[in-house]
Amino acid sequence: MKSTASTSEKILDVAQSLIVAGGYNGFSYADISAAIGIRKASIHHHFPAKAELVAVLVDRYRRQAEAGLNALHEQVASPAEQLQSYLNYWQTCIRDASQPFCVCAMLAGEMQMLPDEVASRVRSHFHSLAAWLTSVLRAGAEQGLFRLNRQPEDEAQMLLASVHGAMLSARALGDPELFSTIVTTQLAKLTK
Amino acid sequence: MKSTASTSEKILDVAQSLIVAGGYNGFSYADISAAIGIRKASIHHHFPAKAELVAVLVDRYRRQAEAGLNALHEQVASPAEQLQSYLNYWQTCIRDASQPFCVCAMLAGEMQMLPDEVASRVRSHFHSLAAWLTSVLRAGAEQGLFRLNRQPEDEAQMLLASVHGAMLSARALGDPELFSTIVTTQLAKLTK
DNA sequence: CGCAACCTTCCTACTGGTAGGTAGACATTA
DNA sequence: TAATGTCTACCTACCAGTAGGAAGGTTGCG
C-alpha cells in the first residue's frame, strides 16, 4: 500500500524514520530528497519550512498514537492487558527495528533547541501519554490488578520514564531484547 | 577557578554543555568559538576533527563519573546511601540546571549516526554504569536493604532506564521536580 | 463541445549562510 | 631556536529556502 501513499505522506514517512534515527538536527531536505527521488524544492512545496514539516509530522504521530490507545480501550477490557498491549507494541517495533524509538522521546532530548511549534507539540504528547497511563493504572488498581504504592499519576510518570529509558538503553547497547527485559522487570513491580 | 582552566578544557566544557543541550549535531565549532572568544581555527588546533573532540570529551566525562562513583564506595558505607547519593547528584544538577542531562544518555539517542569512536565510548559508559549499579544493588540485597524480585543485573538496568527516562520527562515537560518524583517512586519499589 | 483560466506538482537554477576543515603568517615562551 | 598557540584568510560541501517556469489536471463558461 506504500505505492498509493501521497507524496506528502511519503515525505513524512521518510522524515519520521530519519528523526527517529538522528533527531531534528540529524536530517535535511536533501536526505528526504534522495530517499524518495524528488527534488528538494518539491519538498518545500509541500512543507515550506523544516519546523512546519516536523510540526505536521508530530501532529500525525500523536493522532496515530491516540487512535491506537483509544482502540485499546475499546478492544481490550482489562487494564492489565491494555498496559501489556502498549508495551508489546514497542517491544515489536524495537525487535524488528521498524521504529526503534518514539519520535517524541527523541525530540524531547533536543527540547531546548526545538522551534516552539514543535516543542509544544512534544510536550503535549508527554501529557497525553501520562494521562492515558494514569487512567489505565487507576482502573487497574480499582480492580485489584495493580498494587500501587504511590498516586496513579506518579506511577504513570515512572512507567513512562522506564519505557523511554529502556529504548535509550537498548539503543546504547545495541541490544533490542534489553527493552523487553527492562519493561518486564518494571511491570513485575506493579502486578506483584 | 574557571580562569585557570586550559584552553582545551574550556573548549571541552563549552562543548559538553552544548551537547547536553542539543546533541552531537546540535553544536558547531563556530558555537564554541563564539562562547569562549577564540577563532574556529584555534579549536581545530586543539581538536583537529569534531569526532575526535567528542571522543575526548566522552573519555573525560567517563573518567569523572567513574571517579565520583568510586569515591562513593569509599566515603559512604551503606549501598542504600550510595544509591541515594548517585540519585541526589542528578537531582541537584537538574534542579539548578547546571547539567540537566547525562552526556552519554544524550548521545545514546543519536547512536545510529554517531562516529564509531564516539559510539563505542557511549556504549562503554552504559556498561560501566550498569555494572556499578548492579554491584550496589547486589550488596544492598545481601545486607537486606533492598528487596529485589529479579536478578541484580536486570534491576540495575531498570533503575538506569528510569533515571534516563526521568531526565527525558523532566525536560519534555519543563519540570525539574518531575525527575525527583520519578526516581523517588522507583526507589520506593526497591526498598519497600 | 472547445477553450481559457486556474491549480497542483514538480522541476532547474540559484541565494545567503553555515558546516567542518586547511594553509600559512605571526607572536609568545621555553 | 624550536615548539606552541593563535590568528587571518580561505576552501569545499552542505544547509534551508526562493524564483520562476514547465507539465498536467480540473473547473467554469460561451
Side-chain angles (χ1 to χ4, degrees):
Chain A
M1 300 295 152
K2 275 238 166 171
S3 55
T4 63
S6 72
T7 302
S8 343
E9 277 172 349
K10 278 194 234 168
I11 293 170
L12 292 177
D13 289 342
V14 170
Q16 184 161 325
S17 72
L18 289 171
I19 286 177
V20 165
Y24 188 87
N25 291 316
F27 80 100
S28 71
Y29 273 43
D31 294 330
I32 303 175
S33 158
I36 66 178
I38 200 181
R39 298 294 112 179
K40 259 192 347 161
S42 308
I43 304 176
H44 278 286
H45 166 72
H46 294 279
F47 304 99
K50 192 180 183 181
E52 193 180 318
L53 190 161
V54 178
V56 171
L57 186 155
V58 173
D59 279 339
R60 188 185 69 152
Y61 180 79
R62 289 195 59 203
R63 228 179 300 121
Q64 292 168 347
E66 227 147 331
L69 295 180
N70 287 339
L72 274 186
H73 263 290
E74 288 158 19
Q75 292 165 13
V76 185
S78 158
E81 284 171 35
Q82 286 169 3
L83 188 52
Q84 189 62 60
S85 296
Y86 166 67
L87 299 176
N88 283 345
Y89 168 76
W90 280 114
Q91 208 163 308
T92 305
C93 283
I94 291 169
R95 246 200 277 263
D96 68 15
S98 60
Q99 195 184 33
F101 222 91
C102 167
V103 170
C104 288
M106 193 70 198
L107 293 173
E110 305 175 285
M111 211 65 175
Q112 295 180 344
M113 36 173 59
L114 245 35
D116 290 347
E117 49 198 313
V118 176
S120 62
R121 285 167 166 84
V122 170
R123 189 160 30 242
S124 297
H125 182 70
F126 270 74
H127 274 128
S128 304
L129 265 184
W132 183 81
L133 280 171
T134 300
S135 75
V136 171
L137 288 181
R138 181 175 285 123
E142 283 169 2
Q143 298 176 28
L145 297 168
F146 302 137
R147 222 170 285 281
L148 312 182
N149 36 24
R150 298 287 160 128
Q151 309 260 347
E153 288 80 4
D154 293 348
E155 297 274 358
Q157 290 288 4
M158 201 216 55
L159 195 49
L160 188 56
S162 297
V163 169
H164 292 151
M167 288 174 183
L168 213 57
S169 291
R171 171 166 280 191
L173 297 174
D175 174 14
E177 288 308 313
L178 185 54
F179 177 81
S180 310
T181 306
I182 293 172
V183 298
T184 302
T185 303
Q186 185 64 259
L187 206 56
K189 296 192 181 299
L190 284 175
T191 54
K192 177 155 194 243
Chain B
M1 302 297 149
K2 276 238 168 170
S3 55
T4 64
S6 72
T7 302
S8 344
E9 275 172 349
K10 278 194 233 165
I11 292 170
L12 292 176
D13 289 343
V14 171
Q16 183 160 326
S17 73
L18 289 171
I19 286 178
V20 165
Y24 188 87
N25 291 314
F27 81 100
S28 71
Y29 273 44
D31 294 330
I32 302 175
S33 159
I36 65 179
I38 200 181
R39 298 292 116 177
K40 265 195 329 166
S42 307
I43 305 175
H44 279 286
H45 167 74
H46 295 278
F47 305 100
K50 191 181 184 182
E52 193 180 316
L53 190 161
V54 177
V56 171
L57 186 155
V58 173
D59 278 340
R60 187 184 71 152
Y61 179 78
R62 290 194 59 203
R63 229 179 300 121
Q64 291 169 347
E66 228 148 328
L69 295 180
N70 287 338
L72 274 186
H73 263 288
E74 288 157 20
Q75 292 166 12
V76 184
S78 156
E81 284 171 36
Q82 287 169 3
L83 187 53
Q84 189 62 59
S85 296
Y86 166 68
L87 298 177
N88 283 346
Y89 167 76
W90 280 114
Q91 208 164 309
T92 305
C93 283
I94 291 169
R95 244 199 279 262
D96 68 14
S98 60
Q99 195 186 31
F101 222 90
C102 168
V103 170
C104 289
M106 194 68 198
L107 293 173
E110 305 174 285
M111 212 64 175
Q112 296 181 346
M113 38 172 59
L114 245 35
D116 290 347
E117 49 198 313
V118 177
S120 62
R121 285 167 166 85
V122 170
R123 188 160 31 239
S124 296
H125 181 70
F126 271 74
H127 274 128
S128 305
L129 265 185
W132 182 82
L133 280 172
T134 300
S135 76
V136 171
L137 288 182
R138 179 176 286 124
E142 284 169 2
Q143 297 176 30
L145 297 168
F146 302 137
R147 221 169 285 279
L148 312 181
N149 36 22
R150 298 286 161 129
Q151 310 259 346
E153 288 82 3
D154 293 348
E155 297 274 358
Q157 290 288 3
M158 200 216 56
L159 195 48
L160 188 55
S162 296
V163 169
H164 292 151
M167 288 174 183
L168 213 57
S169 291
R171 173 167 278 191
L173 296 174
D175 174 14
E177 288 309 314
L178 185 53
F179 177 82
S180 309
T181 306
I182 292 173
V183 298
T184 302
T185 303
Q186 185 64 260
L187 206 57
K189 296 193 181 299
L190 284 174
T191 54
K192 177 163 193 227

